[in-house]
Amino acid sequence: MDNVIVIIGPTASGKTKLAIEIAKRANGEIISADSMQIYKYMDIGTAKPDEEEREGIKHYLIDEVTPDEEFSVARFKELSLKYLDEILGKGKLPIVAGGTGLYINSLIYNLEFSDTICDWELRNKLAQEAKEKGNEYLHNKLKEIDPKAAENIHMNNVKRVIRAIEVYTYTKKPISVHQEESRKNPPKHNFILIGITMDREKLYERINKRVDLMLENGLVQEIEKLVEMGYDKSTIAMQGLGYKEILSYLKGEMTLDEAVEIIKRDTRRYAKRQMTWFRRLENVYWINKDEFDSDEKIIKNIKYYLETFGIFL
């Protein structure tokens, strides 16, 4: 069974940098498990590594689709498995890095997602309900039919709430049951999970600084350009964190300062949810960044751990 390294952790924790460092030392290539970096033209607000930051390491699932294209977890899994085979076929080490929990789960637990079910009429109807009656109303609907899924899906993640309701409507089986059943098929790769954690206040500080840097680097201008290209609030990707708030600012619905504060607050909340999700995973080798005074010492620690799997940095 081939080894695949998976680097997880909250946003702004340094996953990308660590993945690139490991890839450089272990002849690796990186698959992004980030639900926003898949979109073209959306670079600053997604903290997408530029060519210089990638340091010559090939990245997959970055700039994969345009912002108006539908991209599901099933599609992520399908493409990831294809790229894993490509990387292994070249004799290189695959490294999956990202913070989208469902993407990570789909790979490491080999989840299957009733891919054939797709009812746009129902999706639009449910989306309209959420708009008119609120996200909590829709989330309560899910709670009635699938309490387990409702517990794992945040009410503001309307897209996933809708998907869970859609799957139940057509199969009369909760999406959580589909996921449990699919876990019985073991994955064909050996996924080695490395998690990054740090003091919460330090992480929040990093998040705030990152948002400020995004503004300095031209986040507003990036979104203005996307609007000029015809992408607006109805576009799937423009509902992403950081994009919808700046769109509201551009429409005069709030000040820039208000938009920035909301982005910082909601990113901090998102990071907290990510950690809750990742803490549930089994067999994660956790690296607490506060225990190391340099990146080199973190790498050295990981180096010793990976050697037990026959991977040498």
Side-chain angles (χ1 to χ4, degrees):
M1 200 182 273
D2 294 304
N3 288 323
V4 177
I5 294 174
V6 181
I7 298 173
I8 58 172
T11 188
S13 60
K15 296 182 296 295
T16 301
K17 192 179 174 188
L18 180 60
I20 289 168
E21 200 52 51
I22 293 172
K24 278 160 56 183
R25 298 178 189 219
N27 188 28
E29 293 186 344
I30 296 168
I31 295 173
S32 167
D34 185 296
S35 62
M36 289 301 293
Q37 291 185 359
I38 55 163
Y39 295 112
K40 296 174 183 174
Y41 324 124
M42 303 177 82
D43 304 329
I44 298 167
T46 64
K48 196 181 288 176
D50 60 26
E51 286 303 325
E52 191 182 334
E53 287 167 325
R54 292 179 208 179
E55 297 191 53
I57 300 297
K58 187 167 173 61
H59 282 62
Y60 299 80
L61 288 178
I62 281 181
D63 296 331
E64 189 75 35
V65 294
T66 56
D68 56 347
E69 284 183 68
E70 177 82 9
F71 193 89
S72 64
V73 65
R75 182 90 176 115
F76 166 80
K77 186 187 166 196
E78 176 198 339
L79 288 172
S80 293
L81 291 174
K82 177 187 152 203
Y83 293 143
L84 282 175
D85 286 343
E86 265 183 44
I87 296 166
L88 290 163
K90 290 190 267 187
K92 290 177 178 275
L93 175 70
I95 301 161
V96 178
T100 302
L102 197 60
Y103 281 12
I104 298 292
N105 277 30
S106 74
L107 271 185
I108 65 174
Y109 294 125
N110 198 26
L111 298 183
E112 299 296 337
F113 292 90
S114 313
D115 303 342
T116 51
I117 300 164
C118 182
D119 184 341
W120 280 104
E121 200 176 320
L122 175 64
R123 288 182 191 182
N124 292 335
K125 177 178 165 284
L126 292 169
Q128 193 60 34
E129 279 182 24
K131 203 173 180 181
E132 289 171 5
K133 299 177 182 177
N135 296 352
E136 194 174 358
Y137 171 84
L138 199 65
H139 195 258
N140 285 336
K141 260 191 168 182
L142 176 61
K143 207 179 279 182
E144 284 172 27
I145 57 174
D146 190 352
K148 196 171 179 184
E151 195 183 318
N152 290 328
I153 303 171
H154 193 274
M155 72 174 179
N156 291 338
N157 197 337
V158 177
K159 191 177 169 186
R160 280 190 58 213
V161 172
I162 288 172
R163 179 62 178 156
I165 294 172
E166 180 186 35
V167 168
Y168 184 84
T169 304
Y170 277 85
T171 65
K172 296 296 177 253
K173 200 191 288 186
I175 197 168
S176 52
V177 172
H178 284 285
Q179 290 167 357
E180 284 300 319
E181 286 176 355
S182 65
R183 284 188 187 206
K184 291 169 189 169
N185 300 319
K188 66 173 188 173
H189 302 292
N190 178 38
F191 292 103
I192 302 163
L193 273 66
I194 297 171
I196 304 175
T197 184
M198 64 171 69
D199 172 73
R200 188 177 286 180
E201 289 310 311
K202 284 183 187 170
L203 178 65
Y204 288 175
E205 202 178 301
R206 283 171 69 109
I207 286 168
N208 292 341
K209 281 182 183 169
R210 180 190 264 192
V211 174
D212 288 336
L213 196 60
M214 284 175 178
L215 268 293
E216 282 175 36
N217 289 341
L219 178 61
V220 174
Q221 292 75 15
E222 176 173 274
I223 294 168
E224 282 174 335
K225 192 177 173 188
L226 284 160
V227 171
E228 281 170 27
M229 292 167 78
Y231 301 119
D232 60 14
K233 238 173 187 168
S234 65
T235 305
I236 297 159
M238 294 294 260
Q239 285 299 312
L241 188 50
Y243 287 85
K244 62 180 183 295
E245 294 82 5
I246 298 295
L247 266 179
S248 292
Y249 155 66
L250 291 173
K251 289 183 176 181
E253 294 165 4
M254 63 176 77
T255 67
L256 183 57
D257 284 347
E258 285 169 338
V260 171
E261 280 313 305
I262 291 169
I263 294 169
K264 287 178 179 178
R265 181 200 71 194
D266 288 357
T267 306
R268 293 193 299 266
R269 288 176 179 173
Y270 175 57
K272 192 178 174 185
R273 291 199 302 275
Q274 284 177 301
M275 280 311 297
T276 302
W277 181 289
F278 291 136
R279 290 274 182 216
R280 293 194 196 112
L281 300 179
E282 298 154 11
N283 304 318
V284 179
Y285 184 71
W286 285 103
I287 294 284
N288 185 339
K289 289 183 97 167
D290 301 327
E291 293 172 7
F292 301 88
D293 56 19
S294 72
D295 289 345
E296 193 54 45
K297 285 181 181 172
I298 290 173
I299 289 289
K300 198 173 180 183
N301 184 288
I302 290 170
K303 176 180 182 286
Y304 290 135
Y305 177 64
L306 292 178
E307 281 173 8
T308 62
F309 297 94
I311 298 169
F312 301 94
L313 301 189

